[in-house]
Amino acid sequence: MAISPVQTLEVPDVCHRWLENRGTVYELLIDFMGNSPSLSMIAEWSRGSGIGKAAEGTQGGADLVNYLCGRSPEELVKICEYEGVEYRRLLERNKQRPLSESQYTKSGCVRDVAECYETVGVAFNKLHGEADDHLAIELEFMTVLHDRMLNNCYGEDGLLKLMAAQEQFLEEHLLAWVPSLCEDMKASTDSPLYRALFRLLEEFLMQDLRMLKVWRQSREAELVH
């Protein structure tokens, strides 16, 4: 999903780098959590600046840089082969703990998540038949709201509502179960790729919520003055 530039928004300095980077980090996580790691995907991320953006402020991102970047084509082939096997073992065949919120929280959360999507008019084209509460779908929902926020046509009130919607989804959904998922997955694998990704996921979501709150509070303070 393309993430639009941020020059249309006035943001405090502390938020600039976060706002520029967050869409890319969500895309990286969606790619690796929703797909088996093909050679083209690994090569593209290893050559581009996306993993470097993930490394800003997270140890998981730094671990990804160390593992994937600067590798020869032969090394990337070996990484792809090893991590592809691990993806199938860890993420595709793990029936006890699939990457879905309903496996970690209340039974009605699939309906709750679907209602969140419907409330803001979001529908997903699920290529692999994922449930509404699958990790990759929930992360993609955040990118949709992020993109709408950057292309805000709703005025200041609409912008604040989009910020609040993202905060609420992080607090009530993603951060209600992803930390437990990350602990399970890190304990279940020796894969450098997936240990780094799940560490990044946990660190980034907490950081993202914190920065959303900082930015929203600064916007609200500007309105008061």
Side-chain angles (χ1 to χ4, degrees):
M1 178 178 294
I3 301 297
S4 303
V6 300
Q7 61 264 28
T8 56
L9 293 177
E10 294 181 6
V11 298
D13 289 342
V14 69
C15 296
H16 270 295
R17 288 297 294 167
W18 160 75
L19 195 59
E20 289 172 357
N21 293 347
R22 73 188 294 248
T24 300
V25 180
Y26 272 114
E27 287 184 348
L28 184 155
L29 291 167
I30 291 166
D31 255 5
F32 282 100
M33 299 301 178
N35 303 282
S36 179
S38 66
L39 181 58
S40 60
M41 186 174 80
I42 288 178
E44 182 177 354
W45 281 107
S46 70
R47 290 194 302 264
S49 62
I51 291 180
K53 292 179 179 181
E56 293 187 19
T58 68
Q59 184 57 50
D63 292 343
L64 280 177
V65 169
N66 291 335
Y67 184 49
L68 295 181
C69 296
R71 298 287 188 172
S72 68
E74 293 77 15
E75 288 175 315
L76 289 179
V77 169
K78 291 180 180 179
I79 287 173
C80 180
E81 291 173 351
Y82 172 76
E83 300 297 352
V85 171
E86 191 63 4
Y87 176 87
R88 291 187 289 275
R89 183 192 72 83
L90 189 67
L91 305 186
E92 282 189 340
R93 297 174 184 167
N94 189 346
K95 303 303 183 183
Q96 293 182 333
R97 286 298 194 198
L99 303 187
S100 57
E101 182 178 345
S102 54
Q103 298 300 314
Y104 284 83
T105 58
K106 59 184 180 179
S107 59
C109 74
V110 178
R111 182 179 64 254
D112 295 341
V113 170
E115 288 176 356
C116 288
Y117 304 159
E118 292 171 6
T119 298
V120 294
V122 172
F124 294 106
N125 182 18
K126 301 170 187 174
L127 299 178
H128 307 295
E130 301 91 340
D132 283 323
D133 67 335
H134 188 278
L135 176 61
I137 300 298
E138 292 196 5
L139 293 174
E140 189 169 352
F141 179 63
M142 290 295 294
T143 72
V144 171
L145 296 185
H146 171 75
D147 197 43
R148 287 184 181 180
M149 186 173 67
L150 296 188
N151 294 283
N152 174 45
C153 300
Y154 312 103
E156 189 67 23
D157 183 60
L159 181 63
L160 292 173
K161 287 180 179 178
L162 285 167
M163 293 181 196
Q166 291 173 85
E167 288 180 35
Q168 183 177 4
F169 195 77
L170 281 165
E171 290 176 329
E172 295 183 1
H173 292 286
L174 281 164
L175 283 171
W177 69 284
V178 166
S180 295
L181 168 74
C182 291
E183 289 304 309
D184 280 355
M185 292 299 174
K186 287 185 293 183
S188 300
T189 183
D190 292 323
S191 156
L193 177 65
Y194 290 104
R195 287 183 65 84
L197 283 167
F198 282 105
R199 183 169 186 175
L200 168 63
L201 176 62
E202 184 174 14
E203 292 174 321
F204 171 71
L205 292 181
M206 292 187 290
Q207 179 188 78
D208 200 43
L209 177 61
R210 182 169 62 253
M211 292 305 300
L212 275 166
K213 290 180 180 293
V214 168
W215 188 30
R216 179 175 55 81
Q217 289 166 3
S218 78
R219 301 291 296 215
E220 290 172 342
E222 289 177 10
L223 289 177
V224 171
H225 295 92

